[in-house]
Amino acid sequence: MVINVSVFFRMPKKYSGEKLAQAVGSVRRGHLTIAQASREYGVPWMTVSDHVKKPRMRTTTGPPRQLSDEDTRAFLDFALFCARQRFPLTREASRAYIQALVVQSGKYP
C-alpha cells in the first residue's frame, strides 16, 4: 500500500513572492504564457494560473488574524516587560491577557 505523503504534509514553497509577482506580471502583460512563466520563474503552473485568473484570491495561509497590529504590539510589550522583570508568562497567562485585549478592543463580545 502506497501512502501519498503530500496529502498529509504541505510541501514548502521553493519560490519567492517576488518571483510569483514577476510571473503573474509577465502573463498579464502578454509577454509569456502561463506555462512559459512557470518554467522561467520556477513557480508551479497552477499557482501562476490561479493568481492570473483569480486576482482577488487570498494569498495568505492559515486563519484570519484576530488581533490588530496595535493589540499584537501591546501583547509583545507586556511579554517583554514580564521577561525583564524575570517573570515569564505562562501559556495560560498569555491567553488570559490576549482575551482581555480582544474583549477590550470590542471586536468580540
Side-chain angles (χ1 to χ4, degrees):
M1 180 172 154
V2 177
I3 297 175
N4 186 356
V5 177
S6 64
V7 172
F8 299 108
F9 299 103
R10 186 173 194 155
M11 301 304 288
K13 292 192 300 185
K14 294 185 172 122
Y15 59 91
S16 66
E18 183 179 317
K19 291 289 185 185
L20 174 60
Q22 290 172 343
V24 171
S26 294
V27 173
R28 286 193 180 144
R29 286 189 302 274
H31 295 204
L32 299 172
T33 65
I34 291 173
Q36 290 169 337
S38 172
R39 282 191 297 272
E40 184 171 323
Y41 293 101
V43 180
W45 178 88
M46 187 54 88
T47 303
V48 176
S49 176
D50 285 345
H51 284 264
V52 168
K53 294 178 182 178
K54 304 171 195 166
R56 294 179 190 251
M57 187 174 77
R58 194 173 120 192
T59 57
T60 59
T61 58
R65 293 179 56 162
Q66 294 184 354
L67 289 180
S68 67
D69 290 339
E70 183 179 314
D71 290 341
T72 301
R73 187 75 219 160
F75 172 71
L76 290 176
D77 288 342
F78 179 68
L80 290 172
F81 171 78
C82 289
R84 283 191 298 271
Q85 300 300 319
R86 302 204 187 280
F87 184 75
L89 287 176
T90 62
R91 180 179 292 173
E92 292 80 20
S94 297
R95 284 184 179 166
Y97 187 81
I98 290 171
Q99 284 176 346
L101 280 175
V102 169
V103 169
Q104 182 182 2
S105 71
K107 287 174 81 174
Y108 300 98

